[in-house]
């Protein structure tokens, strides 16, 4: 018999989502990428905090990516400079249009895809598929035995299906509650209109 649904208030100024954890224990085969797809995946080693945050916002603001926005500048700079952080991007001409960030702090072959995504203009072009192919190949070639990531219900509506098609398996879910970055002035108030602002 099912229990009565429970509702928990999250408080004003907060946003809540269901976060899903997915993992991969061996490299999945690469998915096909359209012939002639422009752009390339490049290392962003040495990227400045300003360049990083510009890309972070352009890729993630519609989904309320927020962790790096609340981070102190010196903490972000130290994170980007850490040998346990790797950052890649999709470059189209002179402009960065995709972000892939690895976090190796778990040790013992544990590699988290901390951030992954492409700008709206690059969605449905095959660019995300190419970036994920690179993520999987690079992580396992670098010694990963577990590659994992989070997505949540504020993310792109096809994100969970994309990760499943890429070879990831769901292993857990949690409720995630954060301060709303729009109310802190870190993102425009019209970002992520699918997520209500509760002042």
């Amino acid at each position: 018999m099912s229990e009565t649904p429970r509702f928990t208030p999250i408080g004003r100024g907060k946003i809540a989502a269901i976060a899903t954890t997915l993992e991969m224990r061996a490299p999945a085969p690469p998915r096909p990428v359209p012939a002639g797809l422009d752009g390339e995946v490049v290392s962003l080693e040495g990227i400045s905090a300003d360049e990083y945050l510009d890309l972070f916002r352009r890729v993630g603001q519609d989904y309320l990516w927020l962790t790096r926005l609340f981070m102190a500048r010196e903490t972000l700079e130290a994170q980007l400079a850490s040998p346990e952080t790797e950052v890649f991007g999709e470059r189209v001409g002179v402009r960065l249009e995709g972000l892939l960030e690895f976090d190796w702090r778990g040790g013992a072959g544990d590699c988290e895809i901390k951030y992954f995504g492409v700008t709206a203009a690059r969605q449905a072009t095959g660019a995300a598929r190419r970036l994920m192919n690179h993520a999987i190949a690079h992580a396992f070639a670098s010694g990963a035995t577990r590659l994992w990531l989070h997505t949540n219900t504020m993310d792109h509506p096809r994100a969970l299906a994309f990760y499943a098609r890429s070879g990831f398996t769901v292993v857990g879910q949690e409720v995630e509650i954060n301060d709303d970055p729009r109310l802190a002035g870190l993102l425009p108030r019209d970002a992520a209109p699918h997520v209500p602002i509760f002042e």
Side-chain angles (χ1 to χ4, degrees), residues 40-183:
E40 60 180 336
V41 178
V42 297
S43 170
L44 298 183
E45 182 178 1
I47 189 171
S48 72
D50 287 337
E51 291 174 311
Y52 175 91
L53 288 172
D54 173 71
L55 179 59
F56 185 90
R57 285 188 172 94
R58 288 190 293 109
V59 172
Q61 86 168 20
D62 286 342
Y63 314 110
L64 296 187
W65 287 12
L66 53 84
T67 308
R68 298 297 190 231
L69 303 180
F70 282 106
M71 187 176 282
R73 175 57 62 96
E74 58 272 19
T75 304
L76 175 58
E77 290 171 344
Q79 184 73 44
L80 294 174
S82 169
E84 295 175 315
T85 298
E86 288 186 289
V87 184
F88 294 86
E90 188 207 30
R91 177 173 287 140
V92 182
V94 298
R95 189 169 170 84
L96 292 171
E97 299 287 355
L99 176 62
L100 164 63
E101 182 178 337
F102 292 112
D103 184 343
W104 290 91
R105 288 177 295 175
D110 185 277
C111 179
E112 179 184 2
I113 297 178
K114 196 75 174 176
Y115 293 103
F116 176 91
V118 297
T119 60
R122 299 295 288 171
Q123 292 171 9
T125 65
R129 207 177 310 162
R130 177 175 60 192
L131 191 60
M132 182 55 76
N133 287 347
H134 178 85
I136 294 168
H138 178 80
F140 284 100
S142 299
T145 55
R146 177 182 183 243
L147 180 63
W148 64 282
L149 54 82
H150 290 116
T151 186
N152 69 37
T153 47
M154 293 185 293
D155 206 348
H156 192 288
R158 294 194 296 274
L160 196 57
F162 172 85
Y163 294 132
R165 287 193 300 270
S166 298
F168 289 88
T169 301
V170 173
V171 294
Q173 287 191 314
E174 301 167 289
V175 176
E176 181 179 4
I177 300 174
N178 287 291
D179 293 330
D180 191 331
R182 296 167 297 186
L183 293 177

